[in-house]
Amino acid sequence: MRMVVAEHPQIIPRVHRVDRLRANDGVELAIERFGDPTSESIVFAHGFGQTRHAWSASARALAQRDWSVITFDARGHGDSGWCDDGAYELPQFIGDLVSVARLPARPPILVGASMGGLLGLVAQAEDRPFRALILVDITPRWETAGIERIIAFMGAHPGGFASIDEASDAVANYLPHRSEKKSPERLRQLLVRTDNGRLRWHWDPRMLDQIAAKGERYQAALLDAARRIDVPTLLISGEHSDIVSDSTIAEFMQLVPHAEHVRVPRATHMVAGDANDAFTDAVLKFVGKFDSSKS
């Protein structure tokens, strides 16, 4: 068991460890657990090009409120394995998410951002592994320009970076609304060093063609999945998101009429990174309905 030093000592979880989970096809997923594993559970699923570390602050806060929290790196991301043949398909990611959701003794609540939220929609419609869904700045139909901006950033530096500072500048240009750059420590979680000494992002670049280019082909299935959701659902959107819009949110609320919606002020698509306190508060308020002792 390994205890990490949290940013705020008062929210160090009682239990913290990193595990590995072997997916059905042998790919190993990096799993991180926070809090008492016997408590009610929440699974966090990150967006395309992110890692489990995007959730660390929220995971610690929820663990402090006696929730058992699981975060993980999707295949091809972070510390998880890559597909040997470079063939990535959405059903693989969905199967991985269902496998993670089966780890707790009782069905968990899902918090899924962007890609993670879409995977959760389909997983719930097909396998029903979750007791509730929290979708973070994603709807079954999205704004194409916003997705293109993300893909352009992910493919912009195929040769990697000479230094942490160079990578930091690239992130700052991508997220100009943030007043502070990512710290070198946080950036190191997102970079790996190649054989030639340069740094590259943590994801398998082959995913860009395999997953991102096919995204819109799945929209009909995603819309159908949303219609079949009958568990409590919360949509958290960023006020300045370029991925979801008033029209895509309105469509989602028609598809899932029992859903709730919270818009986080001053946040973009990167809601948890832009306004983590407000995001975490929205999650806590929603999940508190499932256990009054945690509200």
Side-chain angles (χ1 to χ4, degrees), residues 4 23 30 94 108 119 133 155 157 172 174 177 233 246 263 292:
V4 298
I94 294 166
L119 298 176
L133 301 176
H157 301 279
Y174 176 61
H177 61 285
T233 301
D246 289 344
R263 181 176 275 116
S292 60

Side-chain angles (χ1 to χ4, degrees), residues 26 44-45 54-55 66 79 90 126 135 165 258 271 280:
F44 282 84
W55 304 117
D66 294 327
D79 297 321
L90 282 181
E126 295 181 350
L135 308 182
D165 286 342
H258 63 276
V271 180
T280 303

Side-chain angles (χ1 to χ4, degrees), residues 77-90:
H77 294 73
D79 297 321
S80 287
W82 291 10
C83 293
D84 290 339
D85 58 3
Y88 291 88
E89 299 289 344
L90 282 181

Side-chain angles (χ1 to χ4, degrees), residues 44-225:
F44 282 84
H46 63 74
F48 194 57
Q50 294 185 308
T51 70
R52 69 187 191 276
H53 299 297
W55 304 117
S56 295
S58 297
R60 288 193 294 264
L62 285 156
Q64 184 66 15
R65 298 291 189 97
D66 294 327
W67 288 92
S68 173
V69 179
I70 299 175
T71 66
F72 72 103
D73 291 336
R75 63 176 58 216
H77 294 73
D79 297 321
S80 287
W82 291 10
C83 293
D84 290 339
D85 58 3
Y88 291 88
E89 299 289 344
L90 282 181
Q92 296 171 314
F93 289 87
I94 294 166
D96 294 346
L97 178 57
V98 172
S99 295
V100 174
R102 300 298 189 201
L103 292 175
R106 295 176 295 278
I109 297 168
L110 172 73
V111 181
S114 200
M115 178 186 76
L118 296 178
L119 298 176
L121 273 179
V122 179
Q124 184 63 22
E126 295 181 350
D127 295 290
R128 302 181 63 81
F130 301 108
R131 63 186 294 199
L133 301 176
I134 300 175
L135 308 182
V136 186
D137 210 69
I138 196 61
T139 48
R141 200 188 311 274
W142 51 82
E143 298 297 334
T144 301
I147 295 296
E148 290 176 346
R149 184 180 65 87
I150 294 173
I151 300 305
F153 169 74
M154 292 181 66
H157 301 279
F161 305 98
S163 65
I164 289 284
D165 286 342
E166 191 175 316
S168 179
D169 289 341
V171 174
N173 290 333
Y174 176 61
L175 303 172
H177 61 285
R178 292 192 184 175
S179 58
E180 295 182 3
K181 290 185 176 182
K182 282 184 178 293
S183 68
E185 290 74 20
R186 292 193 63 189
L187 271 178
R188 287 190 185 97
Q189 296 174 334
L190 305 177
L191 294 161
V192 294
R193 193 169 294 280
T194 60
D195 292 340
N196 64 7
R198 292 180 66 82
L199 298 165
R200 63 157 177 79
W201 298 120
H202 57 81
W203 58 71
D204 184 346
R206 297 173 297 178
M207 292 189 303
L208 292 177
D209 293 331
Q210 296 294 319
I211 296 297
K214 299 178 181 179
E216 293 191 359
R217 300 182 191 177
Y218 291 94
Q219 282 193 334
L222 291 166
L223 291 165
D224 179 66

Side-chain angles (χ1 to χ4, degrees), residues 212-243:
K214 299 178 181 179
E216 293 191 359
R217 300 182 191 177
Y218 291 94
Q219 282 193 334
L222 291 166
L223 291 165
D224 179 66
R227 294 185 186 97
R228 296 157 60 190
I229 299 302
D230 59 3
V231 295
T233 301
L234 171 66
L235 171 63
I236 302 177
S237 66
E239 180 184 17
H240 301 303
S241 173
D242 59 355
I243 302 296

